Amino acid sequence: VATPEMGELIGAYDFIVNFDAAVLALDGVIFGASLNDDPFLCNLFGCRGFFDTGGAVELFEAASPFTPLGNLQDGVAPIVLATLVFDAIGVGTSNLSFTGNILGQSAPFNLLGDEFGIPLPVFEPGTGRVVVAEVVEPPAILLMLTGLLGLIARKRSIRRAPPG
C-alpha cells in the first residue's frame, strides 16, 4: 500500500522486497488496479511484473498509457500496488525490507515514480516482520480415542435411560 505525498499521482514503481527464504517462499503476486485498470493490455505490453530470486522479489509496474491516472487515483488516498502471498516453509522470523529500484538506482527511497518514471520524494518505507511458529497438534490416535470414548459413554447413557 502506498500513500502519495503532496497530491502526487503514482505512475510507476520498481522495488525489491527482501525476505528470509528459509522461512518464506513466494506463492504469488496480485497486482492492484491503481496504475492499470486493464490487466489484459498491461500483461500484453509488459508494463507490470515480478522477479522472484528466492529471498527477494522485485515488483515493477508502469501506468497504462490508455487510462489517465486521475481516473484511478485521487492523489491523497492510499492505493494498493500489489499483494504478496507467501507460503511458510520453515519456523522462524523473516524480516521484510524494501529497496527502491526506480531508474535502476538501488536506494531506500527510489520506490515510486510519477507518470514519467521520475522518482517521487517518499519517506523511508520501513520494514515488516513475519513470525512463523510451529503448531503442535495432538497425535491423531489420541483424538480418535477421545471420540471413541465419547461415543461409548453416550451409548451407555442411552441404554440406562428409563423408557418413557
Side-chain angles (χ1 to χ4, degrees):
V1 176
T3 304
E5 290 189 7
M6 303 175 292
E8 291 278 357
L9 298 178
I10 296 171
Y13 62 86
D14 188 353
F15 58 88
I16 300 165
V17 180
N18 303 290
F19 58 93
D20 186 346
V23 177
L24 301 173
L26 184 69
D27 185 44
V29 176
I30 303 165
F31 289 95
S34 300
L35 274 67
N36 295 286
D37 60 349
D38 189 341
F40 175 76
L41 284 177
C42 190
N43 292 338
L44 183 67
F45 290 114
C47 59
R48 73 168 64 146
F50 68 95
F51 299 108
D52 178 16
T53 59
V57 58
E58 180 179 357
L59 298 165
F60 61 90
E61 186 171 7
S64 169
F66 306 109
T67 304
L69 283 175
N71 292 354
L72 304 174
Q73 306 172 32
D74 64 7
V76 179
I79 60 173
V80 174
L81 301 176
T83 302
L84 300 178
V85 180
F86 290 102
D87 284 330
I89 59 171
V91 175
T93 300
S94 176
N95 292 319
L96 301 176
S97 63
F98 301 87
T99 305
N101 197 36
I102 289 283
L103 300 177
Q105 300 171 1
S106 181
F109 304 108
N110 291 337
L111 290 110
L112 308 175
D114 64 12
E115 60 265 63
F116 305 109
I118 298 170
L120 292 171
V122 65
F123 56 91
E124 187 173 346
T127 60
R129 181 176 23 191
V130 176
V131 178
V132 178
E134 186 172 353
V135 177
V136 180
E137 297 182 23
I141 191 73
L142 180 62
L143 290 174
M144 289 190 324
L145 287 175
T146 305
L148 185 59
L149 289 174
L151 288 174
I152 291 170
R154 172 117 170 106
K155 189 172 183 177
R156 283 185 159 188
S157 68
I158 291 174
R159 283 188 184 169
R160 290 184 185 161

